[in-house]
Amino acid sequence: FQDVCYHYSSGPKVLDGMNFKIAHGETIAVVGPNGSGKSTLVSLLCRFDDPQSGMILVDDVPLMEMRTRDVRRRIALVTQRTALFEDTIENNIRYGTPGADSHAVVRAAKMAFADDFIRTKTPNGYQTRLGSGGVQLSGGQMQRIALARAFLRDPDILILDEATSQIDMESELLIHKALKKFLVNRTGLMITHRASSLVMADRTIVVEAGQVADQGTHEELQQRNDFYRNLCGDQRLSA
């Protein structure tokens, strides 16, 4: 992100000269108060919209010079609101990768620690239908389906936008375990307000008023940044 500015049609700037760089294979956490521009940052990176000024580059190529389809092939996005469809679990995982065979779907589900509950806690395994009139999953189970869907796409860049904000601790631990393996040699970007997720980050960026206010390791930010220190509170971060 190079001097990226963005504002909606009416209102002040949401991003006001955003500058940061993520290295290949690095996992970055982004934290900040509500309204600081975190979700807008994700929207621009996925090219749901474009900045009014400044540039976003991937491998030194401006995002606006890349075909939107090519950008999105390289990115997988998991949010706190998992979109599941009235279809089988298998087809829900396959969504976005229609050419994947059943073996690839199962492999992705195993990586996301979803295979066990799919086989043992649903009536028809991968052929169980979800949605209206079908099986209803817990929040943690839905998020693991969403992760399996993302893993199946095999993206260069994985974005997690508050992906573990509304799930139980057991599911969160499983998701963290899955992500640690999957993010090796991939680029990760996590928008989060949960201290327990920060352990996965190589570096954390603190965003305030649409700008990078600070960045560093957990230890560095604990020492010098009040917002980060208050966010973590008394919670212990452990690998």
Side-chain angles (χ1 to χ4, degrees):
F1 275 60
Q2 294 183 353
D3 295 319
V4 172
C5 294
Y6 180 82
H7 62 84
Y8 295 99
S9 55
S10 61
K13 287 182 179 178
V14 182
L15 300 184
D16 188 12
M18 177 73 72
N19 283 284
F20 67 88
K21 184 175 183 178
I22 306 176
H24 171 72
E26 189 177 25
T27 298
I28 295 296
V30 179
V31 301
N34 291 336
S36 60
K38 303 187 299 294
S39 292
T40 301
L41 182 157
V42 170
S43 179
L44 297 182
L45 181 55
C46 294
R47 281 215 73 189
F48 298 142
D49 211 335
D50 292 320
Q52 279 89 14
S53 62
M55 284 198 301
I56 303 169
L57 300 97
V58 177
D59 293 336
D60 296 324
V61 179
L63 211 59
M64 291 179 67
E65 294 180 9
M66 300 171 66
R67 293 192 309 173
T68 303
R69 177 181 294 182
D70 293 336
V71 172
R72 293 179 184 166
R73 278 178 179 161
R74 301 186 62 181
I75 294 173
L77 171 64
V78 181
T79 70
Q80 62 182 314
R81 299 179 184 87
T82 304
L84 296 181
F85 306 98
E86 293 184 34
D87 205 335
T88 64
I89 289 177
E90 180 175 330
N91 284 338
N92 266 279
I93 294 174
R94 188 182 281 120
Y95 179 76
T97 318
D101 61 25
S102 296
H103 296 293
V105 170
V106 172
R107 190 161 56 245
K110 287 180 176 178
M111 290 173 62
F113 293 96
D115 180 71
D116 182 63
F117 85 76
I118 292 171
R119 293 186 185 277
T120 64
K121 297 184 179 180
T122 63
N124 299 304
Y126 285 86
Q127 300 310 310
T128 299
R129 296 191 69 83
L130 303 178
S132 179
V135 169
Q136 303 296 314
L137 301 180
S138 69
Q141 290 170 338
M142 291 172 65
Q143 287 303 82
R144 279 178 271 167
I145 293 290
L147 269 190
R149 181 188 289 167
F151 290 175
L152 185 61
R153 295 190 62 200
D154 194 25
D156 297 327
I157 302 169
L158 179 64
I159 303 174
L160 306 168
D161 189 357
E162 299 286 10
T164 61
S165 65
Q166 298 180 14
I167 63 175
D168 59 276
M169 185 175 294
E170 180 183 0
S171 291
E172 184 179 40
L173 290 172
L174 288 173
I175 286 173
H176 286 179
K177 188 176 180 180
L179 287 170
K180 284 178 186 177
K181 292 182 179 179
F182 186 75
L183 284 170
V184 174
N185 295 322
R186 300 176 198 269
T187 302
L189 177 65
M190 299 187 301
I191 310 297
T192 185
H193 68 272
R194 290 182 75 150
S196 53
S197 296
L198 297 174
V199 68
M200 292 186 292
D202 300 307
R203 181 163 50 98
T204 296
I205 293 172
V206 181
V207 176
E208 293 180 12
Q211 298 180 335
V212 174
D214 203 348
Q215 57 183 303
T217 65
H218 170 66
E219 291 76 16
E220 291 168 346
L221 293 175
Q222 277 278 36
Q223 291 178 6
R224 68 172 184 246
N225 189 278
D226 290 340
F227 177 86
Y228 187 86
R229 193 161 43 239
N230 291 335
L231 176 68
C232 294
D234 296 326
Q235 300 178 60
R236 294 180 61 190
L237 278 70
S238 57

PDB file of all heavy atoms in Angstrom, residues 45-78:
ATOM      1  N   LEU A  45      -8.044  -4.306  -1.363  1.00  0.00           N
ATOM      2  CA  LEU A  45      -7.110  -5.355  -1.765  1.00  0.00           C
ATOM      3  C   LEU A  45      -7.806  -6.407  -2.630  1.00  0.00           C
ATOM      4  O   LEU A  45      -7.214  -6.954  -3.561  1.00  0.00           O
ATOM      5  CB  LEU A  45      -6.484  -6.007  -0.528  1.00  0.00           C
ATOM      6  CG  LEU A  45      -5.453  -7.107  -0.779  1.00  0.00           C
ATOM      7  CD1 LEU A  45      -4.327  -6.615  -1.681  1.00  0.00           C
ATOM      8  CD2 LEU A  45      -4.882  -7.604   0.540  1.00  0.00           C
ATOM      9  N   CYS A  46      -9.079  -6.669  -2.354  1.00  0.00           N
ATOM     10  CA  CYS A  46      -9.854  -7.631  -3.154  1.00  0.00           C
ATOM     11  C   CYS A  46     -10.440  -6.995  -4.417  1.00  0.00           C
ATOM     12  O   CYS A  46     -11.122  -7.665  -5.189  1.00  0.00           O
ATOM     13  CB  CYS A  46     -10.982  -8.219  -2.315  1.00  0.00           C
ATOM     14  SG  CYS A  46     -10.439  -9.241  -0.938  1.00  0.00           S
ATOM     15  N   ARG A  47     -10.219  -5.716  -4.591  1.00  0.00           N
ATOM     16  CA  ARG A  47     -10.734  -4.936  -5.714  1.00  0.00           C
ATOM     17  C   ARG A  47     -12.255  -4.905  -5.771  1.00  0.00           C
ATOM     18  O   ARG A  47     -12.857  -4.916  -6.840  1.00  0.00           O
ATOM     19  CB  ARG A  47     -10.164  -5.404  -7.049  1.00  0.00           C
ATOM     20  CG  ARG A  47      -8.758  -4.899  -7.305  1.00  0.00           C
ATOM     21  CD  ARG A  47      -8.487  -4.597  -8.767  1.00  0.00           C
ATOM     22  NE  ARG A  47      -9.156  -3.375  -9.232  1.00  0.00           N
ATOM     23  CZ  ARG A  47      -9.187  -3.022 -10.519  1.00  0.00           C
ATOM     24  NH1 ARG A  47      -8.620  -3.772 -11.432  1.00  0.00           N
ATOM     25  NH2 ARG A  47      -9.799  -1.914 -10.881  1.00  0.00           N
ATOM     26  N   PHE A  48     -12.878  -4.867  -4.589  1.00  0.00           N
ATOM     27  CA  PHE A  48     -14.301  -4.572  -4.550  1.00  0.00           C
ATOM     28  C   PHE A  48     -14.511  -3.089  -4.849  1.00  0.00           C
ATOM     29  O   PHE A  48     -15.605  -2.660  -5.192  1.00  0.00           O
ATOM     30  CB  PHE A  48     -14.898  -4.929  -3.193  1.00  0.00           C
ATOM     31  CG  PHE A  48     -14.787  -6.396  -2.856  1.00  0.00           C
ATOM     32  CD1 PHE A  48     -14.511  -6.806  -1.566  1.00  0.00           C
ATOM     33  CD2 PHE A  48     -14.944  -7.363  -3.831  1.00  0.00           C
ATOM     34  CE1 PHE A  48     -14.421  -8.149  -1.251  1.00  0.00           C
ATOM     35  CE2 PHE A  48     -14.848  -8.709  -3.529  1.00  0.00           C
ATOM     36  CZ  PHE A  48     -14.585  -9.104  -2.234  1.00  0.00           C
ATOM     37  N   ASP A  49     -13.449  -2.317  -4.663  1.00  0.00           N
ATOM     38  CA  ASP A  49     -13.446  -0.899  -4.988  1.00  0.00           C
ATOM     39  C   ASP A  49     -11.994  -0.494  -5.227  1.00  0.00           C
ATOM     40  O   ASP A  49     -11.072  -1.282  -4.954  1.00  0.00           O
ATOM     41  CB  ASP A  49     -14.063  -0.081  -3.850  1.00  0.00           C
ATOM     42  CG  ASP A  49     -14.771   1.177  -4.353  1.00  0.00           C
ATOM     43  OD1 ASP A  49     -14.404   1.657  -5.449  1.00  0.00           O
ATOM     44  OD2 ASP A  49     -15.660   1.676  -3.657  1.00  0.00           O
ATOM     45  N   ASP A  50     -11.765   0.704  -5.718  1.00  0.00           N
ATOM     46  CA  ASP A  50     -10.422   1.202  -5.989  1.00  0.00           C
ATOM     47  C   ASP A  50     -10.193   2.496  -5.212  1.00  0.00           C
ATOM     48  O   ASP A  50     -11.131   3.276  -4.996  1.00  0.00           O
ATOM     49  CB  ASP A  50     -10.220   1.472  -7.485  1.00  0.00           C
ATOM     50  CG  ASP A  50     -10.215   0.200  -8.308  1.00  0.00           C
ATOM     51  OD1 ASP A  50      -9.629  -0.801  -7.844  1.00  0.00           O
ATOM     52  OD2 ASP A  50     -10.806   0.190  -9.405  1.00  0.00           O
ATOM     53  N   PRO A  51      -8.944   2.754  -4.803  1.00  0.00           N
ATOM     54  CA  PRO A  51      -8.662   3.996  -4.079  1.00  0.00           C
ATOM     55  C   PRO A  51      -8.760   5.218  -4.988  1.00  0.00           C
ATOM     56  O   PRO A  51      -8.585   5.111  -6.201  1.00  0.00           O
ATOM     57  CB  PRO A  51      -7.219   3.788  -3.588  1.00  0.00           C
ATOM     58  CG  PRO A  51      -6.616   2.811  -4.545  1.00  0.00           C
ATOM     59  CD  PRO A  51      -7.739   1.914  -4.964  1.00  0.00           C
ATOM     60  N   GLN A  52      -9.035   6.364  -4.372  1.00  0.00           N
ATOM     61  CA  GLN A  52      -9.064   7.605  -5.157  1.00  0.00           C
ATOM     62  C   GLN A  52      -7.647   8.080  -5.481  1.00  0.00           C
ATOM     63  O   GLN A  52      -7.423   8.750  -6.481  1.00  0.00           O
ATOM     64  CB  GLN A  52      -9.815   8.707  -4.392  1.00  0.00           C
ATOM     65  CG  GLN A  52     -11.319   8.625  -4.511  1.00  0.00           C
ATOM     66  CD  GLN A  52     -11.939   7.755  -3.430  1.00  0.00           C
ATOM     67  OE1 GLN A  52     -11.280   7.428  -2.453  1.00  0.00           O
ATOM     68  NE2 GLN A  52     -13.213   7.400  -3.599  1.00  0.00           N
ATOM     69  N   SER A  53      -6.694   7.738  -4.626  1.00  0.00           N
ATOM     70  CA  SER A  53      -5.301   8.091  -4.900  1.00  0.00           C
ATOM     71  C   SER A  53      -4.399   7.093  -4.197  1.00  0.00           C
ATOM     72  O   SER A  53      -4.818   6.345  -3.321  1.00  0.00           O
ATOM     73  CB  SER A  53      -4.985   9.519  -4.436  1.00  0.00           C
ATOM     74  OG  SER A  53      -5.150   9.639  -3.034  1.00  0.00           O
ATOM     75  N   GLY A  54      -3.133   7.092  -4.611  1.00  0.00           N
ATOM     76  CA  GLY A  54      -2.200   6.106  -4.099  1.00  0.00           C
ATOM     77  C   GLY A  54      -2.288   4.813  -4.899  1.00  0.00           C
ATOM     78  O   GLY A  54      -3.096   4.699  -5.832  1.00  0.00           O
ATOM     79  N   MET A  55      -1.455   3.856  -4.542  1.00  0.00           N
ATOM     80  CA  MET A  55      -1.411   2.600  -5.283  1.00  0.00           C
ATOM     81  C   MET A  55      -1.323   1.403  -4.351  1.00  0.00           C
ATOM     82  O   MET A  55      -0.703   1.467  -3.293  1.00  0.00           O
ATOM     83  CB  MET A  55      -0.205   2.566  -6.228  1.00  0.00           C
ATOM     84  CG  MET A  55      -0.348   3.384  -7.479  1.00  0.00           C
ATOM     85  SD  MET A  55       0.865   2.872  -8.740  1.00  0.00           S
ATOM     86  CE  MET A  55       2.397   3.154  -7.883  1.00  0.00           C
ATOM     87  N   ILE A  56      -1.955   0.313  -4.773  1.00  0.00           N
ATOM     88  CA  ILE A  56      -1.799  -0.992  -4.146  1.00  0.00           C
ATOM     89  C   ILE A  56      -1.093  -1.878  -5.164  1.00  0.00           C
ATOM     90  O   ILE A  56      -1.534  -1.974  -6.316  1.00  0.00           O
ATOM     91  CB  ILE A  56      -3.154  -1.597  -3.751  1.00  0.00           C
ATOM     92  CG1 ILE A  56      -3.911  -0.641  -2.825  1.00  0.00           C
ATOM     93  CG2 ILE A  56      -2.966  -2.957  -3.083  1.00  0.00           C
ATOM     94  CD1 ILE A  56      -5.358  -1.021  -2.594  1.00  0.00           C
ATOM     95  N   LEU A  57       0.006  -2.481  -4.774  1.00  0.00           N
ATOM     96  CA  LEU A  57       0.782  -3.306  -5.684  1.00  0.00           C
ATOM     97  C   LEU A  57       0.900  -4.728  -5.150  1.00  0.00           C
ATOM     98  O   LEU A  57       1.039  -4.932  -3.939  1.00  0.00           O
ATOM     99  CB  LEU A  57       2.191  -2.737  -5.889  1.00  0.00           C
ATOM    100  CG  LEU A  57       2.275  -1.320  -6.473  1.00  0.00           C
ATOM    101  CD1 LEU A  57       2.460  -0.300  -5.353  1.00  0.00           C
ATOM    102  CD2 LEU A  57       3.434  -1.210  -7.459  1.00  0.00           C
ATOM    103  N   VAL A  58       0.834  -5.696  -6.049  1.00  0.00           N
ATOM    104  CA  VAL A  58       1.101  -7.088  -5.719  1.00  0.00           C
ATOM    105  C   VAL A  58       2.273  -7.534  -6.582  1.00  0.00           C
ATOM    106  O   VAL A  58       2.188  -7.475  -7.817  1.00  0.00           O
ATOM    107  CB  VAL A  58      -0.137  -7.981  -5.973  1.00  0.00           C
ATOM    108  CG1 VAL A  58       0.201  -9.436  -5.694  1.00  0.00           C
ATOM    109  CG2 VAL A  58      -1.301  -7.535  -5.097  1.00  0.00           C
ATOM    110  N   ASP A  59       3.362  -7.932  -5.947  1.00  0.00           N
ATOM    111  CA  ASP A  59       4.588  -8.286  -6.676  1.00  0.00           C
ATOM    112  C   ASP A  59       5.012  -7.144  -7.603  1.00  0.00           C
ATOM    113  O   ASP A  59       5.385  -7.354  -8.765  1.00  0.00           O
ATOM    114  CB  ASP A  59       4.407  -9.580  -7.488  1.00  0.00           C
ATOM    115  CG  ASP A  59       4.215 -10.784  -6.569  1.00  0.00           C
ATOM    116  OD1 ASP A  59       4.651 -10.721  -5.412  1.00  0.00           O
ATOM    117  OD2 ASP A  59       3.625 -11.777  -7.026  1.00  0.00           O
ATOM    118  N   ASP A  60       4.925  -5.907  -7.078  1.00  0.00           N
ATOM    119  CA  ASP A  60       5.337  -4.687  -7.785  1.00  0.00           C
ATOM    120  C   ASP A  60       4.464  -4.340  -8.990  1.00  0.00           C
ATOM    121  O   ASP A  60       4.805  -3.460  -9.781  1.00  0.00           O
ATOM    122  CB  ASP A  60       6.808  -4.779  -8.236  1.00  0.00           C
ATOM    123  CG  ASP A  60       7.764  -4.860  -7.058  1.00  0.00           C
ATOM    124  OD1 ASP A  60       7.488  -4.203  -6.040  1.00  0.00           O
ATOM    125  OD2 ASP A  60       8.765  -5.594  -7.150  1.00  0.00           O
ATOM    126  N   VAL A  61       3.333  -5.027  -9.164  1.00  0.00           N
ATOM    127  CA  VAL A  61       2.396  -4.707 -10.240  1.00  0.00           C
ATOM    128  C   VAL A  61       1.184  -3.989  -9.636  1.00  0.00           C
ATOM    129  O   VAL A  61       0.552  -4.509  -8.715  1.00  0.00           O
ATOM    130  CB  VAL A  61       1.923  -5.983 -10.972  1.00  0.00           C
ATOM    131  CG1 VAL A  61       0.923  -5.623 -12.061  1.00  0.00           C
ATOM    132  CG2 VAL A  61       3.112  -6.738 -11.547  1.00  0.00           C
ATOM    133  N   PRO A  62       0.867  -2.777 -10.119  1.00  0.00           N
ATOM    134  CA  PRO A  62      -0.311  -2.071  -9.591  1.00  0.00           C
ATOM    135  C   PRO A  62      -1.573  -2.913  -9.759  1.00  0.00           C
ATOM    136  O   PRO A  62      -1.833  -3.463 -10.834  1.00  0.00           O
ATOM    137  CB  PRO A  62      -0.369  -0.800 -10.443  1.00  0.00           C
ATOM    138  CG  PRO A  62       1.036  -0.586 -10.896  1.00  0.00           C
ATOM    139  CD  PRO A  62       1.594  -1.959 -11.114  1.00  0.00           C
ATOM    140  N   LEU A  63      -2.348  -2.978  -8.705  1.00  0.00           N
ATOM    141  CA  LEU A  63      -3.561  -3.798  -8.715  1.00  0.00           C
ATOM    142  C   LEU A  63      -4.514  -3.374  -9.825  1.00  0.00           C
ATOM    143  O   LEU A  63      -5.163  -4.210 -10.453  1.00  0.00           O
ATOM    144  CB  LEU A  63      -4.246  -3.674  -7.347  1.00  0.00           C
ATOM    145  CG  LEU A  63      -5.035  -4.877  -6.827  1.00  0.00           C
ATOM    146  CD1 LEU A  63      -4.141  -6.098  -6.697  1.00  0.00           C
ATOM    147  CD2 LEU A  63      -5.661  -4.546  -5.480  1.00  0.00           C
ATOM    148  N   MET A  64      -4.593  -2.070 -10.088  1.00  0.00           N
ATOM    149  CA  MET A  64      -5.531  -1.566 -11.087  1.00  0.00           C
ATOM    150  C   MET A  64      -5.112  -1.928 -12.519  1.00  0.00           C
ATOM    151  O   MET A  64      -5.900  -1.776 -13.451  1.00  0.00           O
ATOM    152  CB  MET A  64      -5.695  -0.050 -10.946  1.00  0.00           C
ATOM    153  CG  MET A  64      -6.422   0.350  -9.665  1.00  0.00           C
ATOM    154  SD  MET A  64      -6.602   2.131  -9.447  1.00  0.00           S
ATOM    155  CE  MET A  64      -7.728   2.523 -10.785  1.00  0.00           C
ATOM    156  N   GLU A  65      -3.874  -2.400 -12.689  1.00  0.00           N
ATOM    157  CA  GLU A  65      -3.424  -2.853 -14.010  1.00  0.00           C
ATOM    158  C   GLU A  65      -3.629  -4.353 -14.205  1.00  0.00           C
ATOM    159  O   GLU A  65      -3.376  -4.873 -15.295  1.00  0.00           O
ATOM    160  CB  GLU A  65      -1.941  -2.502 -14.204  1.00  0.00           C
ATOM    161  CG  GLU A  65      -1.669  -1.003 -14.261  1.00  0.00           C
ATOM    162  CD  GLU A  65      -0.201  -0.685 -14.465  1.00  0.00           C
ATOM    163  OE1 GLU A  65       0.586  -1.634 -14.730  1.00  0.00           O
ATOM    164  OE2 GLU A  65       0.165   0.499 -14.344  1.00  0.00           O
ATOM    165  N   MET A  66      -4.068  -5.032 -13.162  1.00  0.00           N
ATOM    166  CA  MET A  66      -4.313  -6.472 -13.249  1.00  0.00           C
ATOM    167  C   MET A  66      -5.788  -6.725 -13.514  1.00  0.00           C
ATOM    168  O   MET A  66      -6.653  -5.958 -13.078  1.00  0.00           O
ATOM    169  CB  MET A  66      -3.891  -7.154 -11.937  1.00  0.00           C
ATOM    170  CG  MET A  66      -2.425  -6.977 -11.591  1.00  0.00           C
ATOM    171  SD  MET A  66      -2.016  -7.568  -9.912  1.00  0.00           S
ATOM    172  CE  MET A  66      -2.320  -9.323 -10.086  1.00  0.00           C
ATOM    173  N   ARG A  67      -6.086  -7.782 -14.227  1.00  0.00           N
ATOM    174  CA  ARG A  67      -7.483  -8.165 -14.418  1.00  0.00           C
ATOM    175  C   ARG A  67      -8.067  -8.579 -13.079  1.00  0.00           C
ATOM    176  O   ARG A  67      -7.422  -9.277 -12.292  1.00  0.00           O
ATOM    177  CB  ARG A  67      -7.600  -9.322 -15.407  1.00  0.00           C
ATOM    178  CG  ARG A  67      -7.199  -8.972 -16.831  1.00  0.00           C
ATOM    179  CD  ARG A  67      -7.615 -10.056 -17.801  1.00  0.00           C
ATOM    180  NE  ARG A  67      -7.182 -11.390 -17.377  1.00  0.00           N
ATOM    181  CZ  ARG A  67      -7.528 -12.517 -17.977  1.00  0.00           C
ATOM    182  NH1 ARG A  67      -8.334 -12.487 -19.034  1.00  0.00           N
ATOM    183  NH2 ARG A  67      -7.095 -13.681 -17.550  1.00  0.00           N
ATOM    184  N   THR A  68      -9.288  -8.142 -12.821  1.00  0.00           N
ATOM    185  CA  THR A  68      -9.936  -8.459 -11.539  1.00  0.00           C
ATOM    186  C   THR A  68      -9.977  -9.965 -11.319  1.00  0.00           C
ATOM    187  O   THR A  68      -9.746 -10.451 -10.202  1.00  0.00           O
ATOM    188  CB  THR A  68     -11.363  -7.885 -11.505  1.00  0.00           C
ATOM    189  OG1 THR A  68     -11.301  -6.479 -11.721  1.00  0.00           O
ATOM    190  CG2 THR A  68     -12.020  -8.147 -10.159  1.00  0.00           C
ATOM    191  N   ARG A  69     -10.237 -10.728 -12.366  1.00  0.00           N
ATOM    192  CA  ARG A  69     -10.274 -12.192 -12.235  1.00  0.00           C
ATOM    193  C   ARG A  69      -8.926 -12.734 -11.782  1.00  0.00           C
ATOM    194  O   ARG A  69      -8.866 -13.628 -10.931  1.00  0.00           O
ATOM    195  CB  ARG A  69     -10.665 -12.807 -13.579  1.00  0.00           C
ATOM    196  CG  ARG A  69     -10.659 -14.327 -13.567  1.00  0.00           C
ATOM    197  CD  ARG A  69     -11.033 -14.901 -14.921  1.00  0.00           C
ATOM    198  NE  ARG A  69     -12.407 -14.589 -15.262  1.00  0.00           N
ATOM    199  CZ  ARG A  69     -12.996 -15.006 -16.380  1.00  0.00           C
ATOM    200  NH1 ARG A  69     -12.318 -15.743 -17.263  1.00  0.00           N
ATOM    201  NH2 ARG A  69     -14.258 -14.701 -16.631  1.00  0.00           N
ATOM    202  N   ASP A  70      -7.840 -12.172 -12.309  1.00  0.00           N
ATOM    203  CA  ASP A  70      -6.511 -12.644 -11.928  1.00  0.00           C
ATOM    204  C   ASP A  70      -6.189 -12.294 -10.474  1.00  0.00           C
ATOM    205  O   ASP A  70      -5.556 -13.069  -9.761  1.00  0.00           O
ATOM    206  CB  ASP A  70      -5.448 -12.047 -12.852  1.00  0.00           C
ATOM    207  CG  ASP A  70      -5.563 -12.567 -14.283  1.00  0.00           C
ATOM    208  OD1 ASP A  70      -6.125 -13.672 -14.460  1.00  0.00           O
ATOM    209  OD2 ASP A  70      -5.106 -11.879 -15.215  1.00  0.00           O
ATOM    210  N   VAL A  71      -6.630 -11.106 -10.057  1.00  0.00           N
ATOM    211  CA  VAL A  71      -6.430 -10.706  -8.660  1.00  0.00           C
ATOM    212  C   VAL A  71      -7.128 -11.689  -7.729  1.00  0.00           C
ATOM    213  O   VAL A  71      -6.542 -12.204  -6.773  1.00  0.00           O
ATOM    214  CB  VAL A  71      -6.972  -9.280  -8.419  1.00  0.00           C
ATOM    215  CG1 VAL A  71      -6.933  -8.943  -6.922  1.00  0.00           C
ATOM    216  CG2 VAL A  71      -6.174  -8.258  -9.211  1.00  0.00           C
ATOM    217  N   ARG A  72      -8.376 -11.984  -8.032  1.00  0.00           N
ATOM    218  CA  ARG A  72      -9.179 -12.793  -7.117  1.00  0.00           C
ATOM    219  C   ARG A  72      -8.812 -14.272  -7.160  1.00  0.00           C
ATOM    220  O   ARG A  72      -9.104 -15.007  -6.220  1.00  0.00           O
ATOM    221  CB  ARG A  72     -10.668 -12.574  -7.398  1.00  0.00           C
ATOM    222  CG  ARG A  72     -11.060 -11.147  -7.035  1.00  0.00           C
ATOM    223  CD  ARG A  72     -12.506 -10.835  -7.293  1.00  0.00           C
ATOM    224  NE  ARG A  72     -12.780  -9.429  -7.020  1.00  0.00           N
ATOM    225  CZ  ARG A  72     -13.868  -8.790  -7.401  1.00  0.00           C
ATOM    226  NH1 ARG A  72     -14.799  -9.441  -8.087  1.00  0.00           N
ATOM    227  NH2 ARG A  72     -14.035  -7.519  -7.118  1.00  0.00           N
ATOM    228  N   ARG A  73      -8.164 -14.703  -8.235  1.00  0.00           N
ATOM    229  CA  ARG A  73      -7.651 -16.073  -8.257  1.00  0.00           C
ATOM    230  C   ARG A  73      -6.539 -16.264  -7.240  1.00  0.00           C
ATOM    231  O   ARG A  73      -6.305 -17.370  -6.765  1.00  0.00           O
ATOM    232  CB  ARG A  73      -7.113 -16.401  -9.656  1.00  0.00           C
ATOM    233  CG  ARG A  73      -8.184 -16.823 -10.657  1.00  0.00           C
ATOM    234  CD  ARG A  73      -7.573 -17.081 -12.010  1.00  0.00           C
ATOM    235  NE  ARG A  73      -8.573 -17.519 -12.987  1.00  0.00           N
ATOM    236  CZ  ARG A  73      -8.407 -17.467 -14.292  1.00  0.00           C
ATOM    237  NH1 ARG A  73      -7.274 -16.980 -14.790  1.00  0.00           N
ATOM    238  NH2 ARG A  73      -9.355 -17.884 -15.106  1.00  0.00           N
ATOM    239  N   ARG A  74      -5.837 -15.191  -6.943  1.00  0.00           N
ATOM    240  CA  ARG A  74      -4.688 -15.278  -6.045  1.00  0.00           C
ATOM    241  C   ARG A  74      -5.061 -15.067  -4.586  1.00  0.00           C
ATOM    242  O   ARG A  74      -4.222 -15.231  -3.705  1.00  0.00           O
ATOM    243  CB  ARG A  74      -3.629 -14.243  -6.458  1.00  0.00           C
ATOM    244  CG  ARG A  74      -3.125 -14.425  -7.883  1.00  0.00           C
ATOM    245  CD  ARG A  74      -1.990 -13.492  -8.198  1.00  0.00           C
ATOM    246  NE  ARG A  74      -0.839 -13.748  -7.335  1.00  0.00           N
ATOM    247  CZ  ARG A  74       0.288 -13.045  -7.391  1.00  0.00           C
ATOM    248  NH1 ARG A  74       0.412 -12.068  -8.267  1.00  0.00           N
ATOM    249  NH2 ARG A  74       1.293 -13.324  -6.580  1.00  0.00           N
ATOM    250  N   ILE A  75      -6.308 -14.654  -4.339  1.00  0.00           N
ATOM    251  CA  ILE A  75      -6.733 -14.276  -2.991  1.00  0.00           C
ATOM    252  C   ILE A  75      -7.901 -15.132  -2.534  1.00  0.00           C
ATOM    253  O   ILE A  75      -8.810 -15.427  -3.301  1.00  0.00           O
ATOM    254  CB  ILE A  75      -7.152 -12.786  -2.959  1.00  0.00           C
ATOM    255  CG1 ILE A  75      -5.943 -11.876  -3.232  1.00  0.00           C
ATOM    256  CG2 ILE A  75      -7.789 -12.422  -1.622  1.00  0.00           C
ATOM    257  CD1 ILE A  75      -6.307 -10.418  -3.379  1.00  0.00           C
ATOM    258  N   ALA A  76      -7.863 -15.542  -1.266  1.00  0.00           N
ATOM    259  CA  ALA A  76      -9.039 -16.150  -0.637  1.00  0.00           C
ATOM    260  C   ALA A  76      -9.395 -15.311   0.586  1.00  0.00           C
ATOM    261  O   ALA A  76      -8.516 -14.899   1.345  1.00  0.00           O
ATOM    262  CB  ALA A  76      -8.767 -17.590  -0.231  1.00  0.00           C
ATOM    263  N   LEU A  77     -10.676 -15.047   0.747  1.00  0.00           N
ATOM    264  CA  LEU A  77     -11.168 -14.196   1.829  1.00  0.00           C
ATOM    265  C   LEU A  77     -12.120 -14.990   2.710  1.00  0.00           C
ATOM    266  O   LEU A  77     -13.082 -15.580   2.223  1.00  0.00           O
ATOM    267  CB  LEU A  77     -11.888 -12.969   1.245  1.00  0.00           C
ATOM    268  CG  LEU A  77     -12.656 -12.071   2.213  1.00  0.00           C
ATOM    269  CD1 LEU A  77     -11.704 -11.408   3.209  1.00  0.00           C
ATOM    270  CD2 LEU A  77     -13.442 -11.010   1.439  1.00  0.00           C
ATOM    271  N   VAL A  78     -11.848 -14.987   4.017  1.00  0.00           N
ATOM    272  CA  VAL A  78     -12.740 -15.612   4.997  1.00  0.00           C
ATOM    273  C   VAL A  78     -13.177 -14.524   5.967  1.00  0.00           C
ATOM    274  O   VAL A  78     -12.347 -13.875   6.598  1.00  0.00           O
ATOM    275  CB  VAL A  78     -12.038 -16.755   5.763  1.00  0.00           C
ATOM    276  CG1 VAL A  78     -13.002 -17.393   6.764  1.00  0.00           C
ATOM    277  CG2 VAL A  78     -11.496 -17.805   4.798  1.00  0.00           C
TER     278      VAL A  78
END
